[in-house]
Amino acid sequence: MSDKTSDKKIDNAIVNPKTYAHVDAFHELFTKLRAEEPVRWTEPDGFRPFWTVSKHADIMEVERQTGKFLNDPRLTLQSIELEEEVKKFTGGEAKLIRSLVDMDDPDHRDYRGLTQAWFMPPNLKAISVRVDALAEKYIDRLEAKGGECDFVSDVAVWYPLRVIMTVLGVPEEDEPIMLKLTQELFGSTDPDMKRPDATEPSKR
């Protein structure tokens, strides 16, 4: 295998979701990258190029330098095909939704300031009892499984959602619709998560 073919195989593996579904393959790939090329210019098929940073210390350094490393241009990896579809739908923007995590200063600072006071210790302390009770509920649910469970469907999906609902003051009976909306938003490219009547952005 030529170096060029090998490089392309590595780049394609980095963007392939199947890589992250197989623990051994994932660790083999990133152990190699950390040892040989911890900062790699990555050019996978069907994606705009990007830097792959694989060492924890380097990632933390990037996180600290918010003036040099920006969120807004592209925080979430999407194929070129999907980016073009979204641009047609939005009139030029590559993101359907501009959230706080996509923003850089000064916008990030200004929008965060709108709710920052709510998340100060006194306010968080006021709901800590309810959050602790939720944690106990899900621990009890694990114990009731008799030593074996599907952690994702039994705990990981529901507990964070219920905590967020508690913070926002959303009643428990709205849990199913909140889960559905969350899955549709963050899993919009997954056919199993789309709304039944969903169509491609460019066809709406």
Side-chain angles (χ1 to χ4, degrees):
M1 183 182 294
S2 67
D3 290 342
K4 187 174 182 179
T5 301
S6 177
D7 284 348
K8 183 63 67 174
K9 184 178 179 180
I10 292 172
D11 290 351
N12 288 338
I14 290 172
V15 300
N16 190 341
K18 292 181 180 179
T19 300
Y20 304 88
H22 298 280
V23 175
D24 291 341
F26 165 78
H27 282 299
E28 180 181 355
L29 172 61
F30 282 90
T31 297
K32 177 180 176 65
L33 286 174
R34 284 190 290 270
E36 300 178 4
E37 200 172 5
V39 179
R40 176 186 178 87
W41 182 242
T42 309
E43 300 182 85
D45 295 327
F47 292 81
R48 290 190 289 116
F50 58 91
W51 291 103
T52 296
V53 182
S54 54
K55 282 189 174 181
H56 179 266
D58 294 337
I59 293 170
M60 296 304 295
E61 186 62 28
V62 168
E63 289 292 318
R64 281 189 285 267
Q65 299 190 50
T66 56
K68 292 182 179 180
F69 300 97
L70 305 178
N71 291 327
D72 194 33
R74 179 175 54 168
L75 183 63
T76 304
L77 188 63
Q78 297 181 134
S79 67
I80 294 173
E81 180 181 8
L82 180 58
E83 285 185 345
E84 293 304 314
E85 289 294 328
V86 172
K87 285 179 182 179
K88 290 176 186 177
F89 180 64
T90 62
E93 290 292 332
K95 296 185 292 290
L96 285 172
I97 297 174
R98 185 173 183 247
S99 68
L100 184 65
V101 295
D102 293 297
M103 296 179 187
D104 299 296
D105 286 337
D107 287 353
H108 180 88
R109 180 184 61 248
D110 293 342
Y111 277 87
R112 185 182 61 190
L114 294 174
T115 58
Q116 187 172 7
W118 202 100
F119 292 96
M120 297 300 286
N123 289 321
L124 293 179
K125 186 176 181 179
I127 65 165
S128 63
V129 174
R130 296 164 65 189
V131 172
D132 289 346
L134 281 174
E136 291 179 3
K137 175 182 177 179
Y138 282 92
I139 290 172
D140 291 342
R141 178 177 293 187
L142 282 177
E143 291 180 343
K145 294 292 181 179
E148 184 174 324
C149 74
D150 183 332
F151 188 78
V152 172
S153 61
D154 292 332
V155 178
V157 168
W158 298 105
Y159 177 64
L161 179 65
R162 289 295 304 280
V163 170
I164 293 170
M165 289 173 60
T166 298
V167 170
L168 296 177
V170 179
E172 184 175 346
E173 55 266 29
D174 289 339
E175 187 178 73
I177 186 63
M178 290 297 292
L179 177 63
K180 185 174 186 293
L181 292 172
T182 302
Q183 289 176 329
E184 289 174 351
L185 174 62
F186 293 105
S188 60
T189 60
D190 185 339
D192 293 332
M193 297 298 180
K194 288 184 178 180
R195 298 187 181 197
D197 60 346
T199 57
E200 294 300 321
S202 61
K203 297 177 183 178
R204 294 188 181 187

